[in-house]
Amino acid sequence: MTAITLANRDGKTFEVNPKRPILESLRDQGVDLPFGCKYGGCITCAAKLISGKVDQNRQVALNNRQINNGYIILCVARPLTDITIEIGVESHNQLYRNPFLDPLKPHELKADIATLKEE
Ligand code: FES
């Protein structure tokens, strides 16, 4: 079992099976979390990783800027270590940006978008 601590819920900790997605494990234990597609594509379930490591290879919702800011996609992420996260919309303060005031730099895009393909 692996421990997930919710930093913005009084540090409450839950023991979870590391093979299951974090969203499923926490919801099964009564944690109310926003979600939409449940396959890693819509960003609704994003949370902020404060410490520890997750495997979220299956997510397609986040760009590199969001990943570098610590965001994880709970519906597909599985904990690789004990982790501490911030959940809910109050953890989304760095998730969205105004693209006109703050455009993404090339290194912040997804790799397949940043690279020009030769025709
Ligand atoms: S619910 Fe859509 S990305 Fe997680």
Side-chain angles (χ1 to χ4, degrees):
M1 295 297 258
T2 301
I4 299 181
T5 301
L6 306 181
N8 60 339
R9 294 291 184 276
D10 299 325
K12 201 160 184 216
T13 298
F14 297 84
E15 291 292 323
V16 303
N17 176 345
K19 293 190 174 139
R20 295 184 69 213
I22 296 167
L23 180 79
E24 239 175 63
S25 297
L26 291 179
R27 283 181 53 81
D28 283 356
Q29 296 186 58
V31 182
D32 188 22
L33 291 165
F35 66 90
C37 68
K38 284 190 165 176
Y39 64 81
C42 76
I43 219 170
T44 309
C45 68
K48 200 160 192 181
L49 184 66
I50 308 298
S51 67
K53 287 191 172 142
V54 302
D55 171 5
Q56 62 171 348
N57 282 338
R58 287 179 47 217
Q59 75 80 22
V60 293
L62 299 173
N63 60 36
N64 289 339
R65 181 187 61 84
Q66 292 160 326
I67 292 169
N68 291 338
N69 283 336
Y71 285 102
I72 60 173
I73 292 296
L74 296 183
C75 65
V76 295
R78 291 160 173 78
L80 295 173
T81 63
D82 290 350
I83 61 171
T84 298
I85 59 177
E86 284 179 6
I87 60 166
V89 288
E90 68 263 41
S91 69
H92 290 184
N93 60 328
Q94 290 179 291
L95 193 57
Y96 305 109
R97 61 181 232 301
N98 182 325
F100 300 104
L101 295 176
D102 180 22
L104 287 178
K105 313 280 184 299
H107 70 277
E108 294 174 322
L109 296 169
K110 292 181 185 176
D112 56 343
I113 296 173
T115 308
L116 285 176
K117 293 198 169 89
E118 305 263 333
E119 301 261 321

